[in-house]
Amino acid sequence: MVNLRNYTSNGDANSSDTVGKVITCKAAVAYSPGQPLVVEEILVDPPHKMEVRIKILFTSICHSDLSAWQGENEAQQVYPRILGHEASGLVESVGEGVTDMEIGDHVVPIFNGECGDCVYCKSEKTNLCDKFRVNAFKSVMTNDGKTRFSTKDGKPIYHFLNTSTFSEYTVLDSACVVKIDQKAPLKKMTLLSCGVSTGLGAVWNTAKVQAGATVAVFGLGAVGLAVVEGARTRGASRIIGVDVNSDKRVKGEAIGITDFINPKDTENPVHQQIKEMTNGGVCYSFECAGNLDVLREAFLSTHGGWGLTVVLGIHPTARMLPLHPMELFDGRRIVGSVFGDFKGKSQLPHFVNQCMNGVVKLDEFITHEMPFANINQALQLLIDGKSLRCLLHL
């Protein structure tokens, strides 16, 4: 393996020995659905025009990585592939045309990019991007439809969610890389690549929860608990956590839930219990489980007249929404949220500063840490429901 880095006292990196060259490094490669990831040496090409090559220092595993690894959606399967989309690291080199980043910058990758030029990016009504929005089917770079990864014998290894962070080095479109304050702790900033930004942003940006509001959160994984954190910071008067794993109660209470419901422990539908607890239903519900039956319970748990349900869970099933159109005439609304409605490159740096100033508590989300070589163990922890975020050190 090539030794690429000489770090200076201020955290910058001298990588002139690797700029413009192919790098040999370790990556965790998925070769088939559900089979253990293979940690092996791969080749990583230099960045092309408007691309950035970064050294990953920390990465973690999200349920979207788990779903892709398990191959839940056959149409999205492509192998070999490098998964991963939550990470933080340093810029190793930049391609032609990249002017907002330079070698040594501290960065986080984002799966939902922002080019800044398209009609979507110029609109205040959406955080999607015409060219670099989240796309689970995309497995190559935008520039030339090819990969920047390959095996030692030259066979292509495919990309995932614009990011592919289960690698010591990765290449991304510059639209999917966010430069952050060098004083921000990169370990914690990893969480902003997906889970915390998605959940907390759904509260702040999508629902715009106000002080005194009542909230129900269905699914207390990392995204759901980020919703809890967002509701807490906005002064919600009651935050009801719903999960089939009673072990989630302790962590939920540590972050901010006021009540907990395990659907397995009750005969009555959850939405009925919530209506009884809140005099007719909550102001906001957040579905973070990726289950349509749960989504219906979340929808029905909101108050008629003004209730809003925000969909955050990933739904691989082909089933349609379990709602009758006339149910919307009760005044309840339902909306989806991608990356918490944050515009990544233009808004995430401010969110980083808020985290640095203590507005958001991030420590509770990191439940495990281990070397990158133990990535399959980290996957199992997530499968078993024993971790929120397992931070892998590269």
Side-chain angles (χ1 to χ4, degrees):
M1 189 183 307
V2 179
N3 183 9
L4 300 169
R5 296 253 168 224
N6 293 309
Y7 294 101
T8 63
S9 59
N10 64 3
D12 291 336
N14 178 3
S15 59
S16 59
D17 55 338
T18 60
V19 172
K21 301 175 183 178
V22 174
I23 288 177
T24 300
C25 70
K26 294 282 189 180
V29 184
Y31 280 94
S32 58
Q35 295 302 305
L37 300 178
V38 179
V39 179
E40 62 182 353
E41 286 193 342
I42 66 161
L43 305 178
V44 183
D45 291 341
H48 290 202
K49 184 177 181 180
M50 295 306 295
E51 295 176 358
V52 180
R53 186 162 63 183
I54 66 176
K55 175 174 175 54
I56 301 294
L57 297 182
F58 303 98
T59 189
S60 55
I61 303 174
C62 171
H63 270 281
S64 297
D65 300 312
L66 185 61
S67 298
W69 172 68
Q70 292 173 329
E72 291 183 0
N73 189 327
E74 292 186 5
Q76 296 175 3
Q77 293 182 17
V78 56
Y79 303 101
R81 196 174 203 178
I82 296 175
L83 305 174
H85 63 287
E86 267 194 2
S88 60
L90 305 173
V91 173
E92 177 272 338
S93 59
V94 300
E96 177 189 349
V98 177
T99 59
D100 62 335
M101 283 170 281
E102 59 184 20
I103 292 171
D105 281 345
H106 291 206
V107 294
V108 294
I110 50 173
F111 61 87
N112 189 57
E114 181 186 358
C115 73
D117 296 321
C118 70
V119 64
Y120 288 85
C121 288
K122 291 180 179 179
S123 171
E124 296 181 355
K125 297 181 178 180
T126 182
N127 70 329
L128 300 180
C129 175
D130 187 33
K131 292 177 65 177
F132 301 106
R133 63 189 295 176
V134 56
N135 181 358
F137 293 95
K138 182 181 176 184
S139 59
V140 293
M141 299 300 291
T142 300
N143 265 340
D144 55 6
K146 297 180 180 180
T147 71
R148 302 293 177 262
F149 303 120
S150 59
T151 62
K152 293 294 287 292
D153 56 0
K155 296 179 180 178
I157 302 174
Y158 294 97
H159 296 251
F160 175 69
L161 289 185
N162 293 321
T163 49
S164 291
T165 63
F166 292 169
S167 175
E168 291 179 323
Y169 289 87
T170 186
V171 177
L172 304 90
D173 293 291
S174 63
C176 298
V177 186
V178 179
K179 177 181 176 180
I180 63 173
D181 191 323
Q182 295 217 5
K183 296 178 182 178
L186 281 173
K187 179 190 292 188
K188 295 180 184 180
M189 295 306 103
T190 299
L191 302 171
L192 305 192
S193 280
C194 178
V196 169
S197 297
T198 296
L200 190 141
V203 176
W204 288 5
N205 305 324
T206 309
K208 296 180 173 62
V209 171
Q210 298 176 330
T214 52
V215 172
V217 185
F218 289 74
L220 296 179
V223 171
L225 289 174
V227 170
V228 173
E229 174 68 0
R232 181 195 67 79
T233 63
R234 283 296 182 259
S237 62
R238 198 163 191 177
I239 306 173
I240 303 169
V242 182
D243 202 290
V244 295
N245 182 353
S246 292
D247 292 340
K248 298 290 183 69
R249 179 173 194 157
V250 174
K251 180 62 74 172
E253 289 176 343
I255 292 179
I257 65 171
T258 58
D259 305 87
F260 179 82
I261 299 174
N262 185 335
K264 292 183 177 180
D265 295 339
T266 178
E267 295 181 359
N268 296 327
V270 171
H271 75 269
Q272 287 186 8
Q273 294 184 65
I274 291 178
K275 284 186 174 182
E276 293 171 1
M277 295 165 64
T278 58
N279 193 26
V282 291
C283 302
Y284 305 95
S285 70
F286 297 83
E287 188 277 317
C288 310
N291 181 299
L292 283 175
D293 296 325
V294 173
L295 174 56
R296 178 159 181 79
E297 286 296 304
F299 177 74
L300 294 176
S301 74
T302 60
H303 202 292
W306 61 78
L308 173 66
T309 298
V310 182
V311 182
L312 296 171
I314 302 300
H315 291 257
T317 176
R319 289 172 57 197
M320 298 291 105
L321 282 175
L323 307 175
H324 190 284
M326 296 305 295
E327 291 179 311
L328 297 173
F329 282 75
D330 287 333
R332 296 184 180 91
R333 295 170 295 145
I334 186 169
V335 65
S337 178
V338 175
F339 196 52
D341 276 328
F342 278 113
K343 284 182 179 286
K345 287 181 76 74
S346 56
Q347 295 180 340
L348 212 60
H350 176 61
F351 185 33
V352 167
N353 292 334
Q354 289 178 295
C355 292
M356 292 173 63
N357 292 330
V359 175
V360 180
K361 299 183 297 186
L362 296 178
D363 291 331
E364 293 287 347
F365 292 89
I366 301 175
T367 55
H368 298 77
E369 295 186 46
M370 59 183 62
F372 179 63
N374 294 359
I375 189 169
N376 287 300
Q377 181 181 340
L379 277 169
Q380 193 61 49
L381 285 172
L382 191 60
I383 293 170
D384 295 339
K386 295 181 179 179
S387 72
L388 289 178
R389 282 297 185 264
C390 179
L391 205 68
L392 299 170
H393 297 244
L394 284 85

